Amino acid sequence: MNLQKTFKNISYKLGSSNDSDIATASLAAFKLFFIPVATMSDKKATKEQKEYAATRDFLTELIALGTYVGVTREFKRHGTTPLCLSYYKKKAKLIRDGKIPGVDPKLFTEEDFKAIENIDKKSFKSVMIDINHRSPEKRIATAEEKKYVDGLTNVVKKFKKAFPPDPVKPEGRIAKIKYNWKNLFNKNLSIQLPKDLYKNVKLNISQMVIWTLAVIVIPPMCNALIKPAMKKFQQMQEKRNPKFNAPVKLDPYPSHNTQMYEKNKTGNNVFGTIYGKTYNNGNMRVGI
Amino acid sequence: MITAAMSSPIFSDAVQNSVFQVLSEGSLKTVARPLFTLVDKNGTPESRKYSAVKEFVFQTLSLLFYFVLVRSLVEQKGYKLIKKVLENKPDFKILKNHATRDSFMEARSLALKSGIESEEAKFIHPKGAIEALNILGSGIILTILAPKVVMQMVHPTMKQVDKLFNKEKAAKEQKNGDVFQKSETKS
């Protein structure tokens, strides 16, 4: 019963979200364990090479796991709503200034403009989080907030109607790529409804953060942390398998102790080493 | 510019495409990780070279494995397995209407575009089960199978890299030697 419930929860979570961070983090969790194990099992590599590579693999995936989940979630949580509001403000300004071809600003009242320029952040955020994240039983938005966002959606729909239809995507792979590239940051594309906009911004933030982490953040962090990590692993290894220290061999002839010669060494000349004290009985030195 | 980039519907369409996701991230990692490993000052040159070559081979092979095994085997066969096991369960009944994964995904994207919540809800659990199986399959292929192949390829690749760099080094040394000889003969 519990297993069924867990499976249902997982399938709901994965099915209701298109974010790439869950898949990427799950793969990082797999790699965290299996890649260092595979590296350590390489028979042709030296111990040093294996230790360095396995530590690096482990560190990279550990940082990736933490940052893909934690950092991406924080960016989405705090960045999505402000970007959505900024999008509507900019769209309103473009329409007001008549900068979008085919859209007549006279079609809209001042109230319409104000409705999308001054959106209530709290209401917008709680309704959007409900729609995009939570299962129906866990929703938090109040009836008032829902009503507010419904009103906002109606205003945006009014703006959307005035926009000329977006250019049709051509058939064929290369033509599609060309079209996408040309319209990637096209400001004249039709205004997006709040629900679609929130979803798109959330996805885009997620992907941008993952790219940034993968290229600019994780490898340098790994470079900075690899030395202490290797030291720590070595210490752990030594704790688990303490080095066998052979007992000190006693010198049966203490007077022959070479260390004493070294201690008493006072200098060298062309004939050999000069010793300050010459009480080395039984070991006559030749030459001086 | 940032708002335009972040709110672009075209970009988010691309981001939702798993081929784009994997290709973009994989290629960035293929270049960035070995480069950072080579500039790291903590390991010995041999260890860094081994780690960088291993990383490069692993990322390249992962991309290949993803397109050959995950896309064709896990995604297509996995859908059939899920359909067989779950289609009679209450939240998964929509699977009965779609024989292939492609038809299921097409119907789902139409439901999402319609904006009707009850229509979208029908696809949530099946899509989640498909994703879960994909993650599991990719995990097994990319982290258990791929490293075994990588380990077979690392040392031959390292030898090739060595040869390449030694050739360049030898050529440089020869060039330097020629210049020295010339200067000596001149003097």
Side-chain angles (χ1 to χ4, degrees), chain B residues 40-151:
Chain B
D40 179 24
K41 285 171 186 167
N42 294 310
T44 60
E46 276 304 302
S47 312
R48 282 182 301 175
K49 199 168 72 185
Y50 171 75
S51 183
V53 169
K54 193 182 74 77
E55 196 66 58
F56 179 79
V57 174
F58 177 73
Q59 295 296 347
T60 317
L61 255 184
S62 288
L63 283 178
L64 195 75
F65 272 48
Y66 178 80
F67 289 108
V68 175
L69 291 175
V70 178
R71 297 266 307 159
S72 61
L73 198 83
V74 177
E75 287 187 354
Q76 302 306 330
K77 302 273 176 196
Y79 179 77
K80 280 180 185 162
L81 181 77
I82 287 171
K83 187 173 152 57
K84 204 175 171 185
V85 177
L86 297 170
E87 68 180 355
N88 292 322
K89 303 263 184 239
D91 288 321
F92 297 86
K93 281 188 175 158
I94 193 82
L95 288 170
K96 272 187 184 174
N97 305 341
H98 304 285
T100 61
R101 186 183 185 274
D102 295 341
S103 113
F104 173 85
M105 286 301 186
E106 212 168 285
R108 182 179 170 267
S109 66
L110 282 177
L112 287 181
K113 273 180 191 161
S114 76
I116 306 164
E117 212 170 318
S118 61
E119 277 299 306
E120 288 174 24
K122 288 179 191 169
F123 291 88
I124 290 179
H125 284 286
K127 167 78 179 8
I130 292 169
E131 281 297 319
L133 195 80
N134 271 355
I135 291 172
L136 192 73
S138 315
I140 291 168
I141 290 172
L142 299 181
T143 63
I144 300 174
L145 193 70
K148 290 205 169 169
V149 183
V150 170
M151 288 308 149

Side-chain angles (χ1 to χ4, degrees), chain A residues 8 42 52 57 184 200 204, chain B residues 6 8 12 40 50 54 91:
Chain A
K8 229 178 168 182
D42 185 1
Y52 178 82
D57 291 336
L184 194 58
N200 289 340
N204 295 353
Chain B
M6 290 297 192
S8 167
S12 72
D40 179 24
Y50 171 75
K54 193 182 74 77
D91 288 321

